[in-house]
Amino acid sequence: MIKIWSMKKNEDAAAKKKPKTSAAQIRVQKDLTELDLPSTMKTNFPDPADLLNFSLTITPDEGMYRGGAFTFSFAINTNYPHDPPKVKCTQTIYHPNVDLEGNVCLNILREDWKPVLNLNSVMVGLQYLFLEPNADDPLNKDAALEMSKNRDQFLNNVKASMRGGHIKGTQYDNVLAR
Amino acid sequence: MSSQSASTSNTDWPGRYHHIDQVLNSPGPRTDPAFLAGDGVKDFLRHQAKILVIGAGGLGCEILANLALTGFKDIHVIDMDTIDISNLNRQFLFRTKDVGKPKATVAAEFIMKRVPGVKVTPYFGKIQDKDDNYYMQFNLVICGLDSVEARRWMNATLVNLVDPENPESLKPLIDGGTEGFKGQARVILPTITSCYECSLDMLNKPTAFPICTIANTPRLPEHCIEWASVLEWPRVQGDKKMDTDDPEHIGWLFSVAAARAKEFNIEGVTWSLTQGVVKNIIPAIASTNAIISAACCNEAFKIATSSAAYLNNYFMLIGTEGVYSYTFEHEKRDDCPVCGGEALELTFSADLTVEGLIEMLVEKQDIQIKKPSLSSPKSQIYLQAPPQLEEATRPNLAKRVSELVPNGGEVTVTASTLPFSLSLRITYT
């Protein structure tokens, strides 16, 4: 058997015994404690001892979604950051990039996720969707179509939906910030 | 089984290892000075070395056969899978009659029957079922896995096993992997060379399609299958968890995807493609497995015998256009969450509070830390942010560290000023 240990001795002698905390857990701790969120975003942990499951509420202070409070659930698995966090909108909202089941079309949550990205990047990305909805990547096709064809009607629909109104037979959740 | 292991000595008929002995009988110009040519090394290889093989699939079957034939006689193998009919084209230790049986058990029996004197001990289950004591018994570990998650676990376990006081605790890890015509073999000396986690950013990410394409403008059969699994499954089945090994679930996805494909005039949605997409299967090529396994076993043999210099530390094979291979030294990362980072031994009074410990860390000149967040493997101790977690952990500040962390216990510290994290090992006076 090769004498690896002699190599070890030549190394910096510092004991490098690591704790049994998983790499995913440490990374999440690092991501969360170093979040740099504007006042428009707030995290909520139903169980403060569980860092892997929590929600984020975005209350945009400008743009067409101003006045609403939008909540997303975050579920992080033990293969983070190899796997991206699973993010879903918990409300039924009228938005071109969010479908009625709460799926979100944000590239860094799927095809463009990389381990160098972190929870802060995802949260900033989500907020951006409310400032600049993108009609070219629709998940709610009706909303996207309205946005590109008739912007005034779209703005009215956004306002109505946020109050809990009906649009084309769909009842949206009242998301007005209290 | 027992009769075979008992007969170990009398199965070594003359000339059995004639070819391998050419390498072991005398040193060459570049062999390690520690090489014990002749009986010493042969005795170690054949009667003392204990090797663990993780995975008894495409790579595992090849690895087990190679190890047994090069003279390793005490081999253990772990695999959590059972044999599927689709494995039989390349996993040559299995036959049609074995379908449904555990891979580890069948592979072990086959090797012991075919190669006299070799003892293969199977474990049908997960690597996570075993503890540090179990892994401590081996000299070497070879991984032939298809999962990033299992590799990360195995790598972290072996890095954590390294005890500065005990040379035996350092177990070389040889990791093989294949994806179609591409493959890699690497030697990881935990805490000395770069580890699996150090190279996590080199991985190809699994093919993922933009969710809006799947939802609106499917063009490929894969888009339809993703639509069925990513969007339709949660919508229709609610919280029911999808099991990609359950034929009924695959059947449901297949029929939903096929209906979608018909609607958009897309051809090519089949049962096997459905299974392939949801399980993220890349077709396995038998010859790639054979090359990579051979490379891994070669390294195991060289490390166990010191008969030649071993791989430093990463070999990759690209067989997509001709045969190309490249070997390089992958560098260790200081900010690796598993093997990087600093470790600090701290000794202080059992009366010190968490707040006191934080002050102590901030004042330490050599580590330059600001606003540290602390946790133990079991729970959070004090987190600086977000506000809700700070509030939830604030009562711990007044507690004594010894109430939260046992003597000799570990604390993980993160802070924006650290490359990744700092681990503390705590002793109370």
Side-chain angles (χ1 to χ4, degrees), chain A residues 29 33, chain B residues 370-375 382-385 411-415:
Chain A
Q29 176 179 326
T33 52
Chain B
K370 277 179 203 150
K371 292 189 132 201
S373 292
L374 276 57
S375 64
Y382 180 69
L383 302 184
Q384 301 273 357
V411 171
T412 303
V413 181
T414 61

Side-chain angles (χ1 to χ4, degrees), chain B residues 79-340:
Chain B
D79 198 302
M80 59 181 285
D81 271 347
T82 52
I83 298 161
D84 185 81
I85 189 142
S86 66
N87 302 145
L88 301 183
N89 73 326
R90 62 190 186 285
Q91 299 176 21
F92 54 82
L93 303 176
F94 313 138
R95 298 291 177 264
T96 317
K97 66 173 171 47
D98 300 322
V99 169
K101 292 185 195 161
K103 288 186 176 179
T105 320
V106 175
E109 278 165 15
F110 192 108
I111 295 283
M112 287 196 285
K113 206 168 148 203
R114 185 72 181 74
V115 192
V118 174
K119 187 178 160 208
V120 185
T121 312
Y123 175 70
F124 170 43
K126 293 174 143 193
I127 49 174
Q128 289 88 346
D129 297 344
K130 301 291 190 183
D131 60 9
D132 285 0
N133 285 337
Y134 173 83
Y135 291 107
M136 203 60 148
Q137 64 179 307
F138 301 103
N139 297 104
L140 264 173
V141 179
I142 302 193
C143 282
L145 286 163
D146 59 358
S147 132
V148 172
E149 202 169 352
R151 278 195 181 88
R152 285 179 73 188
W153 189 89
M154 200 61 245
N155 174 67
T157 300
L158 292 182
V159 172
N160 285 327
L161 207 58
V162 177
D163 172 359
E165 307 296 319
N166 175 16
E168 298 294 308
S169 65
L170 204 151
K171 317 284 178 194
L173 168 65
I174 301 165
D175 178 54
T178 67
E179 228 180 56
F181 286 101
K182 297 179 197 161
Q184 112 272 328
R186 62 191 292 192
V187 171
I188 295 169
L189 305 177
T191 71
I192 294 177
T193 66
S194 89
C195 76
Y196 186 72
E197 194 84 17
C198 289
S199 61
L200 209 60
D201 58 352
M202 282 169 63
L203 288 174
N204 283 333
K205 53 178 189 280
T207 327
F209 304 103
I211 203 158
C212 18
T213 305
I214 301 170
N216 301 305
T217 50
R219 298 177 304 277
L220 300 171
E222 288 85 349
H223 292 158
C224 302
I225 297 165
E226 288 265 285
W227 180 77
S229 66
V230 177
L231 296 172
E232 285 298 278
W233 179 276
R235 192 180 69 82
V236 178
Q237 309 274 3
D239 286 334
K240 189 165 151 197
K241 209 168 180 297
M242 185 164 63
D243 176 4
T244 54
D245 288 321
D246 185 335
E248 256 180 56
H249 291 188
I250 299 288
W252 187 90
L253 294 173
F254 169 57
S255 64
V256 171
R260 173 101 170 153
K262 201 171 169 213
E263 186 188 335
F264 286 88
N265 287 317
I266 297 166
E267 285 181 20
V269 172
T270 60
W271 175 286
S272 66
L273 186 72
T274 307
Q275 199 182 29
V277 169
V278 298
K279 293 181 81 172
N280 197 28
I281 295 175
I282 290 149
I285 309 284
S287 54
T288 315
N289 284 342
I291 296 168
I292 294 301
S293 301
C296 289
C297 293
N298 222 346
E299 295 312 319
F301 180 82
K302 289 188 290 182
I303 289 173
T305 61
S306 314
S307 55
Y310 56 88
L311 171 67
N312 182 26
N313 51 32
Y314 201 117
F315 162 82
M316 60 190 225
L317 167 79
I318 299 172
T320 40
E321 288 157 75
V323 181
Y324 174 75
S325 82
Y326 184 64
T327 299
F328 64 99
E329 182 180 346
H330 187 271
E331 283 187 28
K332 201 168 187 290
R333 275 176 50 178
D334 288 338
D335 58 351
C336 171
V338 170
C339 76

Side-chain angles (χ1 to χ4, degrees), chain B residues 27-72:
Chain B
R30 295 178 57 196
T31 40
D32 192 280
F35 177 54
L36 294 166
D39 291 341
V41 65
K42 288 188 226 169
D43 180 62
F44 178 78
L45 177 66
R46 291 165 200 167
H47 301 116
Q48 293 176 43
K50 202 171 189 181
I51 188 163
L52 174 65
V53 178
I54 317 266
L59 285 164
C61 283
E62 298 270 359
I63 291 170
L64 288 168
N66 291 346
L67 291 178
L69 293 170
T70 43
F72 285 93

Side-chain angles (χ1 to χ4, degrees), chain B residues 342-372:
Chain B
E342 295 293 319
L344 212 59
E345 305 259 347
L346 282 185
T347 305
F348 50 77
S349 151
D351 291 328
L352 187 76
T353 59
V354 170
E355 191 163 24
L357 172 61
I358 290 176
E359 277 170 24
M360 190 169 145
L361 289 172
V362 173
E363 280 165 17
K364 270 184 103 56
Q365 288 297 317
D366 49 342
I367 49 174
Q368 294 284 327
I369 204 168
K370 277 179 203 150
K371 292 189 132 201

